[in-house]
Amino acid sequence: MLDPDVKSVTDKYINKKIDRRSFLIATGVFAGSVTFGSLLSYYYKNSLKSSPFNKYQDKILKEVQEHLFPHSDDSPGASEINALHYLHFVLTDSDIDDDNKNVLISGVDWLEEECKTTYNKSFLELSFEEKDAIFKDIEDTNWGYRWLSLNLTYIFEALLSDPIYGGNTSEIGWEWLKHTSGLPRPTSDNMYGKS
Amino acid sequence: MNYDFDICVIGSGAGGGPIAYELSKAGKSVVVLEKGPWFKTEDFSKDEIACCRRSVYTPNLRDKRHVIEDKNNNDDWVGKSTYDTGRDFWNGNMVGGSSNVMSGYFHRLKPEDFRLLSEFGPIEGANIVDWPISYNDLEPYFSKVEKIVGVSGKVVAHPHLEPRSTNDFPYSKTAEHPIAQHIDNACNNLGFNSIPTPRAILSQNALNRKACSYSNYCGSYGCSTDAKGSARAALLNPALQTGNCKIVPNAMVYHLESDNTEKVTSADYYDENGKSKSITAKIFVVACQSSESSRLLLMSKGTKHPNGLANNNNQVGKNLIYSGGGSGTGDILYKNYNDTEIAQLNIRGLFVNRSLQDWYIIDDKSFGNRSKGGTIDFLFKHANPIAKTNSQKWGSHGLVWGNPLKNKIKSYFTEGRHLRFEIFNDWLPTDNCFVTLDPDVKDKWGNPVARIRIGNHPHDLKVGNYIEKKAVSVLKQMGAENISSSISESPPPNLVAGGCRFGDDPNTSVLDSDCRAHDVENLYVTDASFMPTGGSVPYTWTIYANSFRVADKIINTL
């Protein structure tokens, strides 16, 4: 909420919808903070150089993103807008909330656990219908709702942010939605994270 | 005593800018302490990530937050930290303040706004008072802002046109989108008086600034041509050129030291490295945006000010106000237009610039007694494609993904335009809207954060609902589809005023009619804090005008 002459609810507020405190209590993040904290510090140490996920998790995430935002004849899918690479960029950003990073990272393993419990299979082995069903199942949980919602948000950022941030390959997202970018566009001198 | 500066201004936005401009031009030495960074024009681009998706223009809530007190289901006031809720109450924290990122919808107050109590009578549960000054006292300064900050527009007669000392605006109106004609036609058919919205945006090169480039990324973004009349481009840059003005960015003032004569002696602040520093001056001007100005005064306890500076009558932080009203949208769908019309509707960058003030005063028996009403502004939603897409992820039964999501997004972006209206009406001052210091929650320096109770008055909703029907009727007349609107009890954090209202009686106000603290001889407050009632327009023009007025008062004392 920046513009002093226009009324709008902050996008950040809409994004969250769930109160952080009730979310943390519901998901046991307070109780499990040692595990999460150490997990996070491990990722922070390594995040700038490499993906915060191992190869298997990356593979799952790629499938997750493509299921959330599939390719179609007239529109790009998650992989075409470089959504996974963009998510790595998000996870190295100190501005992003630690709890959201926790959810984004841990959600991959939690999803796998759900798939194993429900189907005795990895997410990678699920049919289209099973993937849909498991997403609907986890959407009813606090963590699952938040994880899916965050993943969608960062897919949208990959789709429509300036290509300087690594998504929106060759402006494919803008082209799909007939969106004209504003001028001047960000440069390597004034892009976010440069100061 | 030797002073570091004649004037120390705390906060560099619309409240601080005119003081720095006028006093430095008058040959006085001025220092401006700004808690945010100093972005220059070339630092701004039309980058949604920097502007609106990350904490660049506002603090990260990890470091600095508020506690907001809202009513729960049991009607109890419950405070929640904005870090916990994500409900961000910051606006623009940078040199020039949030005026950098405003849209610049500029309407003057009207004479009745200065005498709400005597004009319309009391309303139970509302602390309505008349202002200690009249429209005539402020009119010359509204005119001054038109010239110095730069307001573009065209005066058109309508029932509630305020008196003007000049015939028209000094700058011709900004270029208009073809949809303005559709709005005018609809209003004509309905018997409404649509008027061009004045904008604090230069329509031509002037004042050593370039004209608007119509980039389509205006509100929420810094201006890349300096056409927008931010305090930074319009006032601080010229102030710097006098050689009498110094701006210190990343300077978080946490305490104003006062002495036994009740005067302020120094401003204590943390610099960008977290080191505490101090500046002395003859006169101090606080303009940190309402809730933070009250917070600073409350934090500045002294021997003669045990409850906080200027707070010997326990008035600081009280009668905080926002802007009542709400907003709505309607879809102007291309399927209802021919190719030529579609091409026109699809133009980006030009401004809608239409307002209605026919109900600035409501004189309608079906409403009740003659009453203060409000303003309707029409606009397109901000360009921000990520925010727009993100709002598409919720369907009627939770999240949407896959092809249904993609179809929804594509339809939203390509099948028409989304015309929006916003309603501005008074947020009446009450005992349930105020700022205090939170007893527990601290900022990253260990200082208590502002705790804000955000109660509104039911009358505000009644007025908003009345005007909403008029706005919706325009959208319907235009043939808009999927019309939705709401009048909100929740305050828009960017439209805040009050907390240190001015008045003649020290028992019921913080500042005198010159915006000087009743009980602190060398302390002024020049942001929107001074306003006892808010009027029914966005605040920025009034803040600028009043700050120019106070600058003259200060010059007279030196």
Side-chain angles (χ1 to χ4, degrees):
Chain A
M1 175 72 70
L2 291 164
D3 186 335
D5 296 330
V6 168
K7 306 185 162 207
S8 54
V9 180
T10 61
D11 190 44
K12 282 180 190 168
Y13 187 41
I14 293 171
N15 276 349
K16 295 194 178 173
K17 278 205 161 177
I18 301 172
D19 182 293
R20 177 199 305 269
R21 189 168 297 279
S22 58
F23 167 75
L24 294 177
I25 291 166
T27 53
V29 169
F30 284 149
S33 57
V34 174
T35 317
F36 280 102
S38 48
L39 181 74
L40 202 63
S41 72
Y42 168 79
Y43 285 130
Y44 280 168
K45 270 186 234 158
N46 296 283
S47 58
L48 282 173
K49 290 173 188 162
S50 60
S51 161
F53 306 102
N54 64 36
K55 276 187 183 165
Y56 191 68
Q57 290 169 320
D58 259 351
K59 209 167 165 182
I60 293 167
L61 257 179
K62 210 171 167 61
E63 289 280 322
V64 165
Q65 289 184 328
E66 202 62 30
H67 192 80
L68 290 172
F69 203 77
H71 167 87
S72 70
D73 287 346
D74 74 332
S75 68
S79 63
E80 290 158 279
I81 55 172
N82 228 355
L84 184 58
H85 174 75
Y86 185 86
L87 189 63
H88 294 167
F89 156 72
V90 166
L91 289 166
T92 63
D93 183 351
S94 62
D95 189 66
I96 304 288
D97 195 86
D98 288 351
D99 298 324
N100 284 346
K101 285 179 179 169
N102 266 331
V103 173
L104 279 165
I105 293 167
S106 306
V108 186
D109 293 338
W110 295 340
L111 173 72
E112 270 298 83
E113 282 171 28
E114 285 293 320
C115 295
K116 294 268 164 63
T117 309
T118 310
Y119 296 108
N120 203 23
K121 286 194 279 193
S122 161
F123 182 78
L124 297 173
E125 297 164 315
L126 300 189
S127 68
F128 180 89
E129 288 72 23
E130 287 168 338
K131 284 176 182 165
D132 243 21
I134 205 85
F135 279 0
K136 286 203 171 73
D137 282 350
I138 65 169
E139 192 194 350
D140 289 335
T141 69
N142 270 318
W143 78 264
Y145 176 87
R146 190 156 178 140
W147 183 73
L148 287 167
S149 179
L150 284 168
N151 269 301
L152 285 167
T153 295
Y154 293 118
I155 287 170
F156 300 149
E157 286 194 0
L159 177 74
L160 292 164
S161 59
D162 195 283
I164 200 167
Y165 295 108
N168 192 10
T169 320
S170 307
E171 303 177 19
I172 193 171
W174 291 343
E175 196 180 315
W176 172 45
L177 296 175
K178 300 183 171 59
H179 175 78
T180 311
S181 67
L183 296 175
R185 285 171 51 181
T187 66
S188 56
D189 288 331
N190 66 11
M191 68 188 284
Y192 168 69
K194 200 66 190 171
S195 63
Chain B
M1 180 176 168
N2 287 328
Y3 299 96
D4 296 331
F5 295 90
D6 291 325
I7 313 284
C8 174
V9 185
I10 299 142
S12 65
I19 303 293
Y21 178 91
E22 292 286 46
L23 273 293
S24 62
K25 279 191 177 284
K28 307 300 176 190
S29 63
V30 179
V31 64
V32 181
L33 301 175
E34 165 56 50
K35 81 169 176 183
W38 193 347
F39 295 115
K40 309 289 169 56
T41 305
E42 59 271 22
D43 295 324
F44 293 121
S45 73
K46 306 307 176 186
D47 178 2
E48 191 179 356
I49 295 291
C51 140
C52 310
R53 308 294 309 169
R54 304 289 185 270
S55 312
V56 177
Y57 302 159
T58 55
N60 191 308
L61 294 174
R62 260 196 309 253
D63 302 330
K64 305 172 199 171
R65 63 192 76 167
H66 296 96
V67 171
I68 304 300
E69 271 189 30
D70 225 336
K71 255 191 185 170
N72 68 8
N73 294 336
N74 298 327
D75 258 12
D76 296 323
W77 292 102
V78 177
K80 285 185 181 176
S81 148
T82 54
Y83 178 64
D84 289 338
T85 61
R87 188 181 193 178
D88 198 333
F89 264 58
W90 292 119
N91 297 301
N93 288 180
M94 62 187 111
V95 171
S98 51
S99 64
N100 283 294
V101 292
M102 67 179 177
S103 291
Y105 295 102
F106 266 33
H107 297 283
R108 294 181 180 210
L109 291 179
K110 301 189 189 297
E112 293 82 358
D113 285 316
F114 293 72
R115 45 172 203 265
L116 218 54
L117 182 63
S118 50
E119 189 77 26
F120 303 102
I123 293 176
E124 196 181 339
N127 305 326
I128 304 170
V129 292
D130 287 351
W131 289 27
I133 62 171
S134 72
Y135 177 81
N136 288 341
D137 295 315
L138 206 53
E139 198 286 333
Y141 297 99
F142 279 124
S143 288
K144 193 171 198 172
V145 173
E146 289 183 3
K147 295 185 189 84
I148 293 175
V149 174
V151 184
S152 302
K154 180 171 175 52
V155 172
V156 172
H158 67 95
H160 298 294
L161 176 64
E162 57 284 346
R164 297 179 52 93
S165 56
T166 59
N167 289 331
D168 214 334
F169 290 91
Y171 305 100
S172 58
K173 59 183 182 176
T174 48
E176 290 173 353
H177 192 277
I179 203 165
Q181 191 60 52
H182 295 241
I183 297 172
D184 288 344
N185 293 343
C187 288
N188 276 336
N189 288 333
L190 291 165
F192 300 165
N193 297 279
S194 59
I195 55 172
T197 311
R199 303 294 294 272
I201 294 172
L202 292 175
S203 52
Q204 62 205 69
N205 292 345
L207 302 167
N208 293 318
R209 290 152 49 198
K210 287 185 191 149
C212 179
S213 65
Y214 302 101
S215 73
N216 196 33
Y217 285 72
C218 183
S220 302
Y221 289 82
C223 185
S224 297
T225 66
D226 284 344
K228 193 189 287 185
S230 69
R232 181 186 58 84
L235 302 173
L236 296 175
N237 286 349
L240 289 168
Q241 284 170 5
T242 65
N244 297 325
C245 179
K246 180 183 179 185
I247 297 173
V248 185
N250 304 304
M252 170 67 199
V253 178
Y254 63 90
H255 182 73
L256 296 174
E257 182 70 22
S258 52
D259 63 13
N260 287 333
T261 67
E262 304 191 352
K263 287 171 77 169
V264 180
T265 51
S266 69
D268 304 329
Y269 66 96
Y270 298 111
D271 72 6
E272 58 187 324
N273 300 315
K275 196 175 163 192
S276 181
K277 292 191 171 170
S278 200
I279 276 182
T280 61
K282 284 184 201 161
I283 288 177
F284 291 82
V285 177
V286 172
C288 312
Q289 205 163 59
S290 288
S291 53
E292 293 304 297
S293 288
S294 286
R295 177 195 177 206
L296 175 59
L297 297 183
L298 291 171
M299 287 201 300
S300 299
K301 294 181 172 66
T303 325
K304 296 276 186 181
H305 302 280
N307 304 321
L309 205 55
N311 195 31
N312 289 349
N313 288 307
N314 293 313
Q315 290 296 306
V316 171
K318 293 190 172 169
N319 297 302
L320 191 75
I321 48 181
Y322 288 91
S323 172
S327 62
T329 57
D331 295 345
I332 308 293
L333 297 176
Y334 295 151
K335 66 178 185 187
N336 299 326
Y337 296 89
N338 65 37
D339 287 349
T340 314
E341 290 167 327
I342 291 169
Q344 285 199 326
L345 287 170
N346 205 25
I347 291 171
R348 309 285 153 162
L350 300 181
F351 296 119
V352 175
N353 279 3
R354 280 297 179 276
S355 303
L356 284 168
Q357 293 196 315
D358 289 359
W359 309 280
Y360 204 82
I361 292 167
I362 302 171
D363 203 353
D364 179 346
K365 283 194 180 122
S366 73
F367 179 84
N369 292 337
R370 181 173 172 269
S371 178
K372 189 48 211 312
T375 300
I376 302 168
D377 278 350
F378 290 95
L379 60 154
F380 284 130
K381 279 187 157 183
H382 287 351
N384 299 358
I386 298 167
K388 283 178 175 169
T389 310
N390 210 29
S391 66
Q392 300 302 308
K393 72 183 173 190
W394 291 290
S396 47
H397 303 288
L399 294 169
V400 188
W401 58 78
N403 284 324
L405 170 68
K406 296 189 74 175
N407 294 338
K408 202 163 171 254
I409 293 170
K410 184 164 186 193
S411 151
Y412 183 87
F413 274 82
T414 60
E415 291 182 2
R417 300 297 308 263
H418 308 281
L419 186 63
R420 179 176 165 86
F421 67 78
E422 298 187 341
I423 293 166
F424 299 84
N425 63 261
D426 284 67
W427 179 286
L428 294 175
T430 71
D431 289 341
N432 280 323
C433 195
F434 58 83
V435 184
T436 55
L437 298 180
D438 193 88
D440 303 313
V441 180
K442 312 281 190 223
D443 66 14
K444 73 170 181 179
W445 296 281
N447 293 311
V449 307
R451 183 180 178 96
I452 308 171
R453 183 178 288 191
I454 55 169
N456 69 330
H457 194 287
H459 182 80
D460 308 343
L461 300 179
K462 185 184 172 192
V463 173
N465 286 327
Y466 180 86
I467 298 172
E468 177 190 22
K469 290 189 179 70
K470 310 292 184 185
V472 166
S473 72
V474 176
L475 292 183
K476 280 185 181 159
Q477 182 71 28
M478 291 176 71
E481 297 182 27
N482 309 319
I483 296 171
S484 66
S485 65
S486 70
I487 296 303
S488 176
E489 287 186 79
S490 185
N494 54 338
L495 296 159
V496 60
C500 297
R501 67 181 184 179
F502 73 164
D504 294 325
D505 181 358
N507 291 312
T508 56
S509 59
V510 176
L511 309 171
D512 67 16
S513 59
D514 293 347
C515 288
R516 172 159 56 180
H518 285 300
D519 54 9
V520 192
E521 190 187 318
N522 65 339
L523 176 69
Y524 293 79
V525 180
T526 61
D527 55 20
S529 299
F530 78 98
M531 298 174 74
T533 55
S536 301
V537 295
Y539 291 125
T540 315
W541 196 353
T542 307
I543 300 169
Y544 272 140
N546 183 62
S547 184
F548 273 110
R549 183 184 70 91
V550 176
D552 279 354
K553 304 288 182 189
I554 294 175
I555 288 170
N556 289 339
T557 69
L558 286 169

